[in-house]
Amino acid sequence: LEQRLQEISKQYGTRILGPNTLGVFQPENKLDTIFVEHGDQALAGGGGVSFISQSGSVGVEALGLASNTGFGMRAFVGLGNKCDLNELDFLRYFERDSRTTCLAFYLESLDQGRNFLEEAERTARKKPVVILKAGSSETGASAVSSHTGRLGGSNRVISGAFRQYGIQMARDDEELCDAAKTLSELPPPSGNKVALLTPAGGYGVMGADYVESKKERIQLVMAELRESSKQRIQRASFPFAAVNNPVDLTASVTDNMMGEALQCLLEDPGVDIIICTAFFAPPGLSEDLVTIIGNLVAYSNKPIIVFTQYGPFTDRYLLKFHEAGIVGFPSMSRAIRAARLLVERAEILKSFPA
């Protein structure tokens, strides 16, 4: 049947998406062919991520989960079995689309591999390309063949080729969405020096461990703050606040103290990226903190990533941060992973010849 579709396509010059596809979802133009629940209302605000998925369910479930906390989507495309249109066609299309700020792919097989890599490198010079390549295990590769009738390909070869051509790899569906969200909204940093700002000392300790972990391919370091920055933060907070990095303002912190400390870190030349722990359990913190951080993000050339938790209200507050133009995550590890992705993007851009 697929061969018959291909014959018809060639005979009449009609392009075909699929078969075995959910189709397309493009919020801005109110184009939606997806026949399963997919968080369409939550995603309808639009954004810059073009999400191309060979599996319909992986795509819509990942996006549906991401939409709980805010996800800026430009378009969703389900590739299906790729009897005609494939990932290369959509890579070329969204490369030219001025409103696409990041391309995210879930792929089980790769057609026209060398052409795709060369086109992806051209795209990555202008906007990030991140891919989750599934089917790396023997059983997974067999499942790819059963799912779409295609061959999965060697994961070692593909991951090496992706790095060579400036493509960023995601390890799972959560990281794919986190990467797309981060890379589409935040600028690449000038270096890998991270400052942690928190009202909870334990998360500062945990965050420092994550930052300095040697297990990751992309290395981060804890920034050394200027003495003038430390003194300014101390004056704006408490004598008992810890003003080395990580900066721990303690649970007695107020909205204004957080804002002042964040401003100091933004102005410190030794800081490239800021992870801001924004909790709402401390009595001195309120929803005004969302506005304070949002105003700083709007005028900052340094990436600010928020980590927030507030029990059953965590998703609601993350959505508020998203609406204020702030990239946020519900765990310290995911926030720092986002920082690594930004540093990796900066390294990719530096690797391209001028």
Side-chain angles (χ1 to χ4, degrees):
L1 287 172
E2 283 191 24
Q3 289 177 352
R4 178 67 180 134
L5 281 174
Q6 290 172 323
E7 291 168 4
I8 294 170
S9 173
K10 290 177 182 177
Q11 182 178 353
Y12 294 100
T14 300
R15 306 308 305 269
I16 296 175
L17 177 63
N20 188 23
T21 173
L22 294 177
V24 295
F25 175 36
Q26 215 275 338
E28 185 178 357
N29 294 336
K30 297 182 172 56
L31 172 61
D32 188 354
T33 71
I34 300 175
F35 55 86
V36 297
E37 286 297 327
H38 53 288
D40 53 314
Q41 295 303 312
L43 291 164
V49 178
S50 289
F51 198 104
I52 301 97
S53 177
Q54 195 167 351
S55 165
S57 62
V58 169
V60 297
E61 294 302 333
L63 290 172
L65 189 61
S67 70
N68 289 341
T69 57
F71 190 86
M73 197 178 76
R74 168 67 172 155
F76 169 85
V77 177
L79 292 175
N81 288 20
K82 304 190 292 188
C83 84
D84 179 25
L85 292 169
N86 61 25
E87 60 275 5
L88 180 57
D89 294 298
F90 289 101
L91 175 66
R92 287 170 172 162
Y93 178 83
F94 288 116
E95 177 190 0
R96 298 190 300 269
D97 177 42
S98 61
R99 298 198 181 185
T100 294
T101 55
C102 178
L103 284 85
F105 290 85
Y106 169 82
L107 296 175
E108 295 173 357
S109 63
L110 196 59
D111 297 343
Q112 299 173 263
R114 183 168 294 280
N115 288 340
F116 181 85
L117 291 172
E118 291 173 352
E119 191 71 43
E121 184 180 48
R122 281 192 289 272
T123 303
R125 292 170 182 266
K126 298 183 289 185
K127 55 189 79 174
V129 178
V130 58
I131 298 178
L132 170 58
K133 172 63 178 66
S136 59
S137 67
E138 183 177 342
T139 302
S142 176
V144 168
S145 180
S146 174
H147 182 198
T148 63
R150 302 279 179 155
L151 297 177
S154 165
N155 192 58
R156 183 176 296 182
V157 171
I158 289 172
S159 62
F162 283 0
R163 283 195 296 271
Q164 182 179 340
Y165 284 86
I167 300 168
Q168 295 178 253
M169 286 194 73
R171 289 170 287 192
D172 53 42
D173 53 341
E174 180 182 78
E175 187 174 20
L176 181 63
C177 287
D178 286 359
K181 175 178 177 175
T182 302
L183 295 168
S184 69
E185 296 184 33
L186 290 176
S190 56
N192 67 341
K193 299 183 289 295
V194 178
L196 300 173
L197 174 62
T198 176
Y203 280 107
V205 175
M206 188 188 305
D209 285 344
Y210 287 146
V211 166
E212 295 186 339
S213 171
K214 302 303 180 185
K215 297 178 182 179
E216 303 291 338
R217 193 173 63 82
I218 301 299
Q219 294 297 299
L220 303 175
V221 297
M222 292 291 286
E224 292 187 15
L225 305 184
R226 289 190 305 185
E227 283 302 316
S228 58
S229 298
K230 298 177 189 177
Q231 293 169 10
R232 183 176 163 190
I233 294 170
Q234 198 88 70
R235 288 194 301 269
S237 55
F238 304 105
F240 50 83
V243 295
N244 291 312
N245 189 21
V247 177
D248 174 18
L249 300 183
T250 79
S252 299
V253 69
T254 66
D255 294 333
N256 289 334
M257 290 177 189
M258 286 287 286
E260 182 67 23
L262 192 55
Q263 182 74 56
C264 289
L265 295 176
L266 285 172
E267 295 174 3
D268 191 313
V271 175
D272 299 315
I273 307 168
I274 300 168
I275 309 289
C276 179
T277 302
F279 289 166
F280 295 94
L285 296 180
S286 71
E287 289 190 12
D288 290 345
L289 184 60
V290 177
T291 303
I292 290 171
I293 297 174
N295 288 339
L296 290 171
V297 166
Y299 296 102
S300 170
N301 58 357
K302 293 182 182 180
I304 300 173
I305 302 167
V306 162
F307 155 47
T308 192
Q309 285 181 349
Y310 195 26
F313 309 109
T314 298
D315 282 2
R316 180 162 66 86
Y317 276 90
L318 282 168
L319 197 56
K320 286 182 180 292
F321 279 116
H322 172 71
E323 291 167 350
I326 303 163
V327 173
F329 297 100
S331 74
M332 179 65 81
S333 61
R334 286 171 69 181
I336 291 172
R337 186 173 65 181
R340 291 187 197 282
L341 289 161
L342 289 170
V343 171
E344 182 179 42
R345 174 62 181 161
E347 291 178 355
I348 287 170
L349 290 173
K350 289 176 185 175
S351 72
F352 290 136

